[in-house]
Amino acid sequence: MTSTTSCCPEYAALSRRGLLQGAAALAGTTTVLGSAVVTASPATAASAGSVLVVLSLRGAADGLSLVVPHGDPVYYQARPRLAVAADRLVNKDGMFGMHPQLAPLEPLWRSGRLAAVHATGLPVPNRSHFAAMEELEDADAGSAERQGWLNRLVGTTAGDSPLQGFTMGGGVLPTSMYGDAPVMAAASLSQTRLPGDDQWDTIGGRVRSLHTLWDADASVLAGSMRSTFRAVEALAPASATTDNRGRYPAGDLGAALSQVARVVRGDVGVEVITVDQGDWDMHTDVGNLEWGRMRTNAGRLAGSIAAFFDDLGDQASKVTLVALSEFGRRVQENANWGLDHGYGNVMLLAGAGVKGGRYYGTWPGLTNDLDSDLLVTTDYRSVLSEVVTTRFRASTATVFPGFAPEQVGVMTSL
């Protein structure tokens, strides 16, 4: 469950509400691992040519701490206690550098498989966690249709997965995955099996009994049961993969990404996977390089992503990971060693197709007063449009209706 320590009441309420909604989630292979939630959409039963992992840093991560604009002097004026010293940054250029706890990502950066796009976000500011998440993941402003951008992306891909329509267990189905295209739900990868199909049934009699009961039945329920049988069977290769959890950092994100890696290595046709990780709502105790929540979170974030790409093995070449948050934090630190709700933020992209080893975006310059935000110069949909067109050859007009993307240049093959 998402920690609510030192966060705003709205985010705490949203976390509780999300879990309650998840208990009735309609679709999505959803796994809850502490503060991290994994939802997978197996779009085809065959091997997937591309896999997109969307990592949502819930609670509004501070992009100015993760990717520091050390070349803007206002950053140091506005954050006399929280600012990260320029000489401690990693992957540094003349304007930006990464938090030193992101050092585990240096190999990805040096090999050109990690990039950052700064000053990104929604078209207009929205400081409500709930409303911003909805808007970000729906990505279809003004429409009453309940369909997220990832569900629309899944709808553009070919395939007739036996997993489609399968639902199992609880968890939070993110708005981005909600919609018409079938997505899946499961309590956990290790628990994705038919009831009774365990070590005590050594001859498979219970499964045969279920098939005898449902296979010739023409009812809607029987159709769902047959879909469930096919879904469990199709997921079996992923469940059989080696669990490399021990290679990841402690914490929910490491646990979640280790399961994602198993799904990808299982090569069961999953094309889109979301990972929701909470605990980024830091109104207090952001801290500095010696202590604080940002130091801990940044380290676990970097260590988990690095371990994930190592764990993927020969499947890594087809996986693209995008990390983003619903909005950023204010420029100026508050009196509690924290940062209040802001606007613009940074997006991280890693893996296949990324033109890495550099920072992207137009820097707007910071201002230093109580209400100052990092302004948005790149609509987040422009970044995602490049991902879906280059990795899936999907129509931007379909995935992001009514939106005309501007070129960012962060992906190859444009």
Side-chain angles (χ1 to χ4, degrees):
M1 182 172 178
T2 301
S3 169
T4 57
T5 304
S6 302
C7 72
C8 64
E10 185 214 25
Y11 186 65
L14 173 63
S15 300
R16 290 192 293 272
R17 182 166 57 244
L19 288 173
L20 290 172
Q21 288 174 337
L26 295 176
T29 303
T30 303
T31 304
V32 183
L33 298 146
S35 68
V37 178
V38 180
T39 302
S41 174
T44 64
S47 176
S50 297
V51 179
L52 173 60
V53 178
V54 177
L55 171 55
S56 296
L57 306 178
R58 304 288 187 183
D62 177 41
L64 294 176
S65 291
L66 295 174
V67 176
V68 174
H70 69 88
D72 190 327
V74 174
Y75 168 76
Y76 291 99
Q77 296 164 11
R79 298 184 174 189
R81 296 177 300 175
L82 304 185
V84 182
D87 62 358
R88 298 287 300 276
L89 299 172
V90 298
N91 302 325
K92 187 177 170 185
D93 70 4
M95 174 56 77
F96 301 111
M98 293 186 179
H99 193 289
Q101 289 296 310
L102 300 185
L105 298 177
E106 284 192 273
L108 283 170
W109 182 269
R110 289 197 298 270
S111 63
R113 294 184 293 153
L114 174 69
V117 187
H118 226 318
T120 60
L122 295 165
V124 295
N126 188 331
R127 300 188 200 280
S128 163
H129 292 292
F130 179 78
M133 286 180 194
E134 284 280 315
E135 184 177 350
L136 188 88
E137 298 186 356
D138 182 73
D140 188 12
S143 172
E145 188 175 357
R146 295 286 293 167
Q147 189 164 28
W149 74 272
L150 286 173
N151 194 277
R152 291 193 292 272
L153 173 61
V154 170
T156 69
T157 60
D160 183 19
S161 169
L163 302 178
Q164 290 178 348
F166 176 68
T167 301
M168 183 175 179
V172 178
L173 186 68
T175 301
S176 59
M177 290 285 265
Y178 191 91
D180 297 334
V183 290
M184 324 305 294
S188 73
L189 186 59
S190 61
Q191 297 175 3
T192 306
R193 62 175 184 265
L194 298 175
D197 184 18
D198 52 33
Q199 69 273 26
W200 308 112
D201 183 12
T202 57
I203 59 174
R206 293 167 182 164
V207 173
R208 283 198 301 276
S209 295
L210 287 171
H211 279 283
T212 299
L213 182 63
W214 296 110
D215 283 357
D217 194 311
S219 68
V220 173
L221 178 59
S224 298
M225 289 301 299
R226 289 192 290 274
S227 178
T228 300
F229 299 153
R230 292 192 295 271
V232 172
E233 181 181 352
L235 272 175
S239 301
T241 58
T242 303
D243 186 349
N244 294 321
R245 174 68 184 91
R247 300 181 187 176
Y248 291 74
D252 302 327
L253 182 57
L257 286 178
S258 71
Q259 288 223 18
V260 172
R262 293 181 66 193
V263 171
V264 176
R265 284 190 281 110
D267 202 18
V268 295
V270 173
E271 293 180 326
V272 175
I273 303 175
T274 67
V275 180
D276 295 350
Q277 199 244 336
D279 207 20
W280 290 91
D281 192 21
M282 301 180 186
H283 291 272
T284 63
D285 299 331
V286 170
N288 54 32
L289 294 182
E290 308 305 322
W291 67 276
R293 299 167 64 201
M294 180 57 69
R295 182 177 185 275
T296 300
N297 277 19
R300 289 178 175 173
L301 172 68
S304 297
I305 293 175
F308 172 66
F309 277 98
D310 286 341
D311 192 11
L312 288 173
D314 61 4
Q315 298 293 306
S317 62
K318 63 183 184 184
V319 177
T320 306
L321 181 146
V322 178
L324 74 174
S325 201
E326 65 264 32
F327 51 74
R329 316 298 293 194
R330 299 282 177 85
V331 174
Q332 194 174 91
E333 67 184 39
N334 64 29
N336 297 314
W337 289 83
L339 295 160
D340 298 321
H341 295 185
Y343 181 29
N345 212 334
V346 70
M347 296 173 67
L348 300 176
L349 297 95
V354 176
K355 292 167 64 176
R358 57 171 291 193
Y359 300 98
Y360 293 84
T362 301
W363 188 245
L366 300 175
T367 56
N368 183 17
D369 62 57
L370 190 61
D371 294 324
S372 290
D373 290 322
L374 169 62
L375 299 179
V376 168
T377 57
T378 300
D379 191 303
Y380 78 104
R381 292 170 294 182
S382 289
V383 181
L384 298 178
S385 291
E386 294 190 0
V387 175
V388 303
T389 55
T390 59
R391 298 303 298 156
F392 295 93
R393 305 298 176 190
S395 163
T396 296
T398 299
V399 180
F400 301 105
F403 176 66
E406 297 182 352
Q407 182 171 345
V408 181
V410 69
M411 299 295 291
T412 59
S413 304
L414 285 178

